[in-house]
Amino acid sequence: MIKKNFAFVLLLIFFSSCGKDGKDTRLVSIGISSDIQSASPVYSFGVSESILFEHTNLGLVGHKWDSAKGGLTDYPLLAEDWKWNESRDEVVFTLRSDIKWSDDKAFSPEDIVFTYSVYSNPVVQSSFFGMFDKFHTLENGQIDIKNTFEIISPQKIKFKFVKNSNPSLLETDLPIIAKHIFEGIPDSLISVSDAIFKSCGTGPYKLKKWERNQYILLEKRKGHFLVNDLSPSRIILKVIPEYFTRKNQLLTGEIDVLPEINTEDIYEFENRKDLNISAMQGRYIDFICWNNVSPEAFLKDSVIPNKYFGSKDIRKALTYGINRKMILDEFLLGRGSVANEPVSPIFKDNYSKSTNFSYNPKKALAILKNAGWQDSDNNGILDKSGQEFSFTLNFVTGKPLREYTANIVKSDLKKIGINVNLEPLERGVFLEKMYSRQMDAFISGWQVPIPLHIKPYWNSDLKKYQTNTSGFMNKEIDQLLDKTSQTNDPAELKRIYNKIQNIIRENQPVTFLFWIDNFSVYSSKIKNAEVNSLGSVQRCWEWEVR
Amino acid sequence: MKKYFFPLLRKVFNGIITLFFLICLIFLLLRLAPGNPVHKFVSPEFSPELSEKIYNSFNLNAPLHEQFLSFLANIISLNFGISYIYRQPVFEVIMNYFPFTLMFAFIVFFIQTAGSIVLSLYSFKKKNCWQDIFFNKFSLIIYSVPTYVLAVLLILFFSVCLQIFPSAGINSFNPEENNYFRFAAEKINYLFLPVMTLSIIGTAYFYRYLRENMDMTDSAPFTLLLKSNGLSRNGILIKHILPNSVFPLISVAGIEIGMLLSGALITETIFALPGMGRLTVTSILQRDYPLVTGCAFVSGLCVILSNIAADFIKSVIDSRIAGDLIE
């Protein structure tokens, strides 16, 4: 009897402890796939860090995505007002007077100057290095502080940009770090100092606790100008690497937000009344990259056309020969759109749609025959001058969409007499081969940056721009890309981007596959939350938890 | 005690040599393997100059033999360097993860050892009954189930359907607000599924080993002698058959605990546990060379130490093998 009673008491205590976390009804828990690597924005390399620092470390201004116009709109954060000079190369910010660091120290314009100095310092190796080409810089790339900043008063600071560099507020939105945390640390030691693990910010939330590879707990700063009573009192970023586990945690109510769900799970979530699905046309694109240059020659610092993909006609034929719509419909259940250009449809003004290059194997075959590729030995594979049209298509392992696409590509191209060998590669190996342009063809993807900036992907300087992975070179494109950073006139930008897209379509350096829609799921207790082109978790202080 | 000293010392010395060769091999393999730790930093605006600077700051531009000599000099003082991804000394990073793995491994090991002994005894007593046949067949099925399948099934049943246990993590977000009892209960609550995942399969593995040994011991001449002398069946089982059957299991257990201490990758990933397995794989995928070496060192050390411990226990149980234990 005593034994039974003891067991009963133990069980009672045990199960009474098994309740859900706390009684905080305004707590919002978000499932993320990877942990942050530092608590300071100096080293903000991933999505998790972006989410954290948006809430802990404000910039002078913020940007919202305006779906209607397909672009960004500015809103004030640390600066309550700003004024450009007539030539638009200087801007004076008036800072809010009610800002304090999360450790209660006073915020000052000195912090802003210090932040930009640290971010642009090559020795520090910050993730923001290389983003200051519109600022006055020293030889090593660091911002020339004297010629760039002028502290007019404790509430006013002036930014002075290079003449005719066409700066915008996007240059001034970086998260500000606290000078008093980093002061005294040699530049070369910042990356390994304790300071990067100390969170100190001016945002509406402060980092309360960080359990490595477990969770990041943010707490609302009462009285902060961005929060109200309905804002989440605490935000938990729960690190759950496995998608299956994140999904189950959402289904059991252990998390409230799951960004970027798999398309096949939509139906499962649609039937749940306690969950809302938010959908957004994506800016993420998958593509097949045809190496325009010879891998062997590139290794020897020489650029000669690839024996298969050096000709734009061949690349066009390959695009005609692949049934992209079928992959989209079968694997992504039609949730996306076939892509033919490097500019996402979300950029409404600058996107030019084209329906060319629909699946047409006959046309593909005709182009190949015109180019001299014929099946002279009747083995089912085209050949030219004794060389069979046979190449290796690489892709990263562990990505089901890419694996499926690769198999369809192999099967489609086989129909027009091209032999494709599939070779999945581990991510690290894949990246090394991709950046050194040592693959013939591969399936990859990228997210078009906001604001629209595609120069690094298409500029002909192959040494400087590793992200031009196809090795495509076109002087006209280079000139047009330079012009995009020299104007803010929407009509002019539209004209330039239309031309760029036409040239790229005409040359088909890659075969664009599809723009993939983005779906995120939110608990119905959260109002005002939705996925947009900037992401699924943003400005959480505007969420209302009821 | 003296008779154990020199064999043990010899074993420790051999362990140090093995460990040294292991990390030297890891060092060379990492440098020879494709991949570049700097690629994680590459973004559209990232200049090749900065990329090279970071590469140089990792000391990866130096000739291999120079890197190796510098590595050896550091290893002697157990300095594995700074982790590229965590930006902290490797030892500190590992110390963030190892305590959890230590606790997790010993809980799992204890459950699977105790469970397998209890089940084997029960099954042996019911020899050739349906219970014995059932446990033999069922243990084979469980042993054949991959860890991730069992983990997913347990999550679906206990977490999604019954909603009794959380499906991931090791604690709630406010552990500091708990008292000790709640803290312990919470840990049990969070660790129940991952511990079950590993220990169910481990129990089946140990059970099969132990049960087979019990049959072999039961048919040994000395057992027949004991039976003919009229000793009770339970007495023979507990005092003679079980100790003789457990003996070969100790070596297997030594390897098993070593493997558990190296980390249980799949379980740790599915249940989002902060253990050595997940840390090792993350460091490999990110090409964090110093951390990979550090993790390999700790894993190697655990396997070697657990083997020494197993041999030592065996020699204590059976003093006849003390001298050559460890050969």
Side-chain angles (χ1 to χ4, degrees):
Chain A
M1 192 64 189
I2 293 170
K3 272 184 189 171
K4 276 187 182 173
N5 282 342
F6 181 67
F8 177 73
V9 170
L10 272 184
L11 276 175
L12 200 69
I13 294 166
F14 174 66
F15 283 109
S16 70
S17 311
C18 296
K20 300 265 158 61
D21 298 304
K23 286 168 189 160
D24 186 352
T25 51
R26 297 207 193 287
L27 180 147
V28 170
S29 172
I30 301 163
I32 55 173
S33 59
S34 60
D35 198 6
I36 55 170
Q37 285 171 13
S38 86
S40 164
V42 180
Y43 302 103
S44 170
F45 284 102
V47 178
S48 305
E49 279 101 343
S50 307
I51 295 172
L52 170 68
F53 301 134
E54 185 187 13
H55 296 88
T56 57
N57 291 71
L58 297 180
L60 291 169
V61 291
H63 307 287
K64 290 178 186 172
W65 182 255
D66 183 339
S67 304
K69 82 168 191 184
L72 292 170
T73 53
D74 309 317
Y75 65 97
L77 285 172
L78 295 178
E80 59 185 7
D81 190 21
W82 52 86
K83 198 171 179 185
W84 288 94
N85 68 350
E86 267 188 27
S87 53
R88 273 192 80 87
D89 50 23
E90 289 183 5
V91 59
V92 176
F93 290 100
T94 306
L95 306 177
R96 292 184 68 95
S97 55
D98 55 353
I99 302 293
K100 276 195 166 183
W101 290 104
S102 51
D103 59 3
D104 276 339
K105 295 240 165 70
F107 170 76
S108 83
E110 294 282 351
D111 291 309
I112 300 171
V113 177
F114 178 78
T115 299
Y116 280 79
S117 168
V118 168
Y119 287 169
S120 62
N121 187 340
V123 177
V124 175
Q125 299 172 1
S126 165
S127 48
F128 296 111
F129 181 80
M131 297 174 72
F132 304 101
D133 53 347
K134 293 180 182 178
F135 289 72
H136 297 285
T137 52
L138 305 171
E139 267 184 23
N140 65 356
Q142 188 169 14
I143 292 176
D144 180 353
I145 300 296
K146 274 188 185 172
N147 288 320
T148 303
F149 299 104
E150 183 184 338
I151 297 174
I152 299 166
S153 75
Q155 239 55 63
K156 280 190 191 293
I157 182 168
K158 186 191 275 185
F159 280 55
K160 292 180 272 189
F161 296 96
V162 173
K163 298 268 180 210
N164 302 319
S165 62
N166 193 32
S168 72
L169 287 179
L170 292 163
E171 268 70 50
T172 64
D173 67 353
L174 300 183
I176 304 300
I177 55 171
K179 184 181 176 185
H180 62 271
I181 298 286
F182 289 91
E183 217 167 20
I185 303 172
D187 295 338
S188 59
L189 295 181
I190 285 181
S191 67
V192 290
S193 68
D194 283 344
I196 62 166
F197 301 108
K198 284 182 198 161
S199 176
C200 184
T202 51
Y205 288 86
K206 66 176 177 187
L207 182 67
K208 171 95 170 149
K209 198 167 173 104
W210 173 21
E211 285 268 341
R212 284 248 188 206
N213 268 337
Q214 281 294 293
Y215 63 85
I216 301 136
L217 173 60
L218 304 179
E219 193 173 65
K220 182 161 77 177
R221 288 176 69 191
K222 283 178 189 159
H224 194 278
F225 73 98
L226 285 171
V227 299
N228 59 47
D229 289 346
L230 294 176
S231 308
S233 57
R234 296 192 295 173
I235 299 169
I236 286 138
L237 305 174
K238 242 180 143 177
V239 185
I240 311 164
E242 188 59 31
Y243 173 77
F244 165 80
T245 315
R246 288 202 297 280
K247 186 183 122 183
N248 280 329
Q249 292 237 318
L250 183 71
L251 290 171
T252 55
E254 289 170 79
I255 58 172
D256 304 306
V257 181
L258 178 56
E260 293 174 19
I261 60 165
N262 289 348
T263 317
E264 66 268 22
D265 292 327
I266 290 172
Y267 301 119
E268 195 172 349
F269 291 119
E270 265 176 353
N271 300 324
R272 293 279 297 253
K273 285 183 182 168
D274 57 336
L275 299 172
N276 295 326
I277 298 182
S278 179
M280 177 73 202
Q281 194 171 33
R283 59 183 168 113
Y284 190 85
I285 189 172
D286 263 15
F287 59 89
I288 304 169
C289 190
W290 312 116
N291 195 349
N292 291 207
V293 298
S294 159
E296 297 82 19
F298 192 77
L299 207 58
K300 295 170 191 159
D301 276 345
S302 157
V303 175
I304 58 168
N306 188 293
K307 63 185 173 189
Y308 298 121
F309 313 117
S311 147
K312 69 177 180 182
D313 288 336
I314 300 297
R315 299 193 295 260
K316 274 183 188 174
L318 293 166
T319 304
Y320 279 121
I322 297 167
N323 194 346
R324 296 170 293 163
K325 180 83 170 67
M326 199 267 274
I327 304 170
L328 181 71
D329 290 342
E330 293 286 321
F331 197 93
L332 293 170
L333 309 172
R335 312 276 180 146
S337 54
V338 171
N340 283 308
E341 51 285 307
V343 176
S344 162
I346 64 160
F347 300 97
K348 291 192 163 63
D349 282 346
N350 299 321
Y351 169 68
S352 82
K353 189 176 170 69
S354 164
T355 50
N356 291 343
F357 301 106
S358 301
Y359 181 52
N360 191 341
K362 281 184 186 166
K363 196 168 180 177
L365 208 50
I367 294 172
L368 288 167
K369 279 190 179 164
N370 274 344
W373 290 94
Q374 287 189 332
D375 186 8
S376 56
D377 53 2
N378 285 326
N379 67 347
I381 299 171
L382 300 177
D383 54 83
K384 184 179 168 183
S385 313
Q387 171 87 50
E388 286 196 333
F389 204 141
S390 174
F391 65 91
T392 301
L393 180 67
N394 295 109
F395 52 95
V396 176
T397 50
K399 291 189 179 282
L401 173 60
R402 303 258 168 93
E403 284 170 24
Y404 181 81
T405 305
N407 280 295
I408 298 295
V409 169
K410 180 182 172 79
S411 140
D412 282 350
L413 293 186
K414 178 87 183 161
K415 289 174 199 163
I416 56 171
I418 296 173
N419 180 47
V420 182
N421 304 307
L422 302 183
E423 188 184 39
L425 295 173
E426 186 271 331
R427 188 172 174 273
V429 180
F430 181 88
L431 288 179
E432 184 168 44
K433 285 192 162 201
M434 182 174 80
Y435 288 130
S436 57
R437 299 188 179 86
Q438 290 306 301
M439 292 184 278
D440 270 332
F442 58 89
I443 304 174
S444 185
W446 67 56
Q447 188 162 266
V448 181
I450 292 177
L452 185 57
H453 180 54
I454 57 172
K455 183 175 174 179
Y457 302 104
W458 302 107
N459 191 284
S460 304
D461 187 344
L462 302 187
K463 286 270 178 222
K464 188 174 177 188
Y465 295 101
Q466 294 182 67
T467 41
N468 178 359
T469 49
S470 64
F472 176 62
M473 291 187 288
N474 184 298
K475 281 188 179 164
E476 194 179 356
I477 290 262
D478 293 344
Q479 286 163 1
L480 290 167
L481 288 170
D482 286 339
K483 281 183 187 171
T484 58
S485 54
Q486 290 159 8
T487 178
N488 273 336
D489 176 22
E492 176 67 0
L493 278 172
K494 182 178 178 146
R495 191 190 66 77
I496 295 170
Y497 276 115
N498 274 351
K499 208 163 181 188
I500 290 173
Q501 286 167 92
N502 285 336
I503 295 171
I504 288 177
R505 271 196 289 262
E506 179 56 29
N507 284 278
Q508 288 291 304
V510 305
T511 292
F512 298 104
L513 293 169
F514 17 72
W515 296 105
I516 302 167
D517 289 351
N518 185 357
F519 297 90
S520 294
V521 186
Y522 303 87
S523 160
S524 53
K525 75 175 187 183
I526 304 169
K527 310 293 174 200
N528 279 355
E530 60 165 23
V531 59
N532 67 44
S533 299
L534 290 174
S536 312
V537 182
Q538 296 162 42
R539 303 192 311 281
C540 293
W541 58 84
E542 288 180 2
W543 292 3
E544 291 182 359
V545 187
R546 294 175 192 272
Chain B
M1 205 60 204
K2 201 177 170 185
K3 66 180 172 185
Y4 301 121
F5 183 73
F6 286 107
L8 211 57
L9 195 68
R10 195 167 65 236
K11 184 78 177 175
V12 170
F13 180 73
N14 287 344
I16 292 169
I17 300 290
T18 310
L19 209 53
F20 176 76
F21 279 111
L22 171 77
I23 50 174
C24 289
L25 187 68
I26 294 284
F27 173 89
L28 291 172
L29 285 177
L30 283 172
R31 297 312 192 276
L32 294 174
N36 183 339
V38 177
H39 282 152
K40 88 186 250 336
F41 302 107
V42 173
S43 69
E45 296 294 345
F46 202 78
S47 70
E49 291 80 28
L50 185 60
S51 174
E52 202 177 321
K53 261 184 188 158
I54 295 180
Y55 193 80
N56 293 349
S57 73
F58 291 162
N59 196 30
L60 295 171
N61 57 331
L64 194 62
H65 67 276
E66 276 181 30
Q67 287 185 49
F68 186 63
L69 289 176
S70 146
F71 168 78
L72 286 184
N74 287 333
I75 284 300
I76 289 166
S77 55
L78 285 183
N79 174 10
F80 288 96
I82 304 283
S83 158
Y84 301 158
I85 50 176
Y86 290 92
R87 297 170 191 279
Q88 285 177 302
V90 164
F91 191 69
E92 274 180 36
V93 177
I94 289 175
M95 278 302 115
N96 283 332
Y97 291 82
F98 192 67
F100 169 79
T101 297
L102 198 65
M103 175 189 72
F104 187 61
F106 276 105
I107 292 172
V108 170
F109 184 73
F110 174 76
I111 292 177
Q112 73 183 60
T113 309
S116 60
I117 289 174
V118 170
L119 283 179
S120 303
L121 283 173
Y122 179 76
S123 179
F124 186 76
K125 283 176 89 172
K126 302 279 181 186
K127 198 171 178 179
N128 296 330
C129 295
W130 69 266
Q131 291 97 327
D132 184 36
I133 296 165
F134 171 78
F135 279 127
N136 282 337
K137 302 278 182 206
F138 191 65
S139 64
L140 186 64
I141 294 169
I142 291 290
Y143 181 52
S144 315
V145 173
T147 313
Y148 65 89
V149 173
L150 186 62
V152 167
L153 289 175
L154 288 175
I155 288 176
L156 284 177
F157 185 68
F158 286 106
S159 191
V160 179
C161 298
L162 299 180
Q163 301 208 354
I164 300 175
F165 297 106
S167 54
I170 53 165
N171 51 29
S172 65
F173 312 122
N174 44 6
E176 71 275 14
E177 291 162 21
N178 289 340
N179 58 39
Y180 288 118
F181 212 83
R182 272 188 71 92
F183 179 80
E186 188 182 84
K187 280 274 179 272
I188 294 169
N189 190 26
Y190 273 87
L191 287 179
F192 185 82
L193 293 184
V195 165
M196 279 303 110
T197 303
L198 280 184
S199 49
I200 285 175
I201 293 172
T203 303
Y205 173 47
F206 278 13
Y207 166 83
R208 292 196 64 75
Y209 215 88
L210 198 52
R211 183 66 188 77
E212 204 172 307
N213 286 342
M214 285 170 117
D215 274 344
M216 281 166 64
T217 317
D218 189 38
S219 56
F222 79 91
T223 317
L224 194 64
L225 182 70
L226 290 169
K227 284 176 187 169
S228 65
N229 283 345
L231 263 72
S232 74
R233 187 169 160 72
N234 278 350
I236 297 172
L237 177 61
I238 301 297
K239 286 184 184 166
H240 299 282
I241 295 181
L242 184 63
N244 281 290
S245 306
V246 163
F247 194 71
L249 188 71
I250 294 171
S251 303
V252 180
I255 296 167
E256 178 76 2
I257 186 74
M259 300 304 279
L260 282 171
L261 286 169
S262 308
L265 167 70
I266 295 169
T267 313
E268 285 171 11
T269 305
I270 292 179
F271 291 101
L273 305 174
M276 285 298 292
R278 219 170 117 195
L279 181 71
T280 307
V281 170
T282 307
S283 62
I284 292 169
L285 294 178
Q286 303 263 17
R287 303 294 192 273
D288 189 342
Y289 298 155
L291 192 53
V292 176
T293 315
C295 289
F297 175 81
V298 171
S299 297
L301 188 67
C302 288
V303 172
I304 288 168
L305 285 181
S306 56
N307 272 297
I308 293 176
D311 286 342
F312 181 69
I313 291 167
K314 277 168 73 177
S315 66
V316 169
I317 292 174
D318 186 349
S319 54
R320 288 171 301 176
I321 60 165
D324 55 0
L325 118 117
I326 330 221
E327 295 299 338

